[in-house]
Amino acid sequence: MAALIAWLCRVDHSDPDCSDHLPKLTLHHGDWAYCSHGGSRDHQWNAIEPSPIEMLRVRHYASEGSATQEVRPK
């Protein structure tokens, strides 16, 4: 079974905060957290309904901002 992502970063990180601009996974309060913009610090974590990472990637890459499938906040 795949791990579920329980936190999603809502910060753009479109500055020197990101070195590679690739999505990053990390732990936040003992659960997996996903930053689609690859920031290394200054995250704003929002709790979401635990979701597989594939669902979050589809949302991110579908069209940067107008997602085809919304991830529901908790």
Side-chain angles (χ1 to χ4, degrees):
M1 174 178 248
L4 298 177
I5 309 303
W7 298 92
L8 187 62
C9 179
R10 299 291 185 185
V11 177
D12 184 338
H13 296 291
S14 60
D15 61 12
D17 180 68
C18 316
S19 57
D20 56 16
H21 299 284
L22 296 174
K24 289 194 170 70
L25 284 176
T26 190
L27 288 174
H28 180 69
H29 294 298
D31 293 312
W32 286 111
Y34 180 74
C35 179
S36 62
H37 294 281
S40 58
R41 58 180 162 33
D42 299 328
H43 298 284
Q44 273 186 350
W45 296 118
N46 289 335
I48 61 170
E49 188 68 36
S51 305
I53 193 166
E54 293 80 12
M55 188 174 188
L56 300 174
R57 286 182 177 152
V58 165
R59 178 177 180 253
H60 173 72
Y61 291 114
S63 67
E64 291 284 326
S66 60
T68 56
Q69 186 169 16
E70 196 64 35
V71 176
R72 287 177 246 149
K74 265 184 148 175

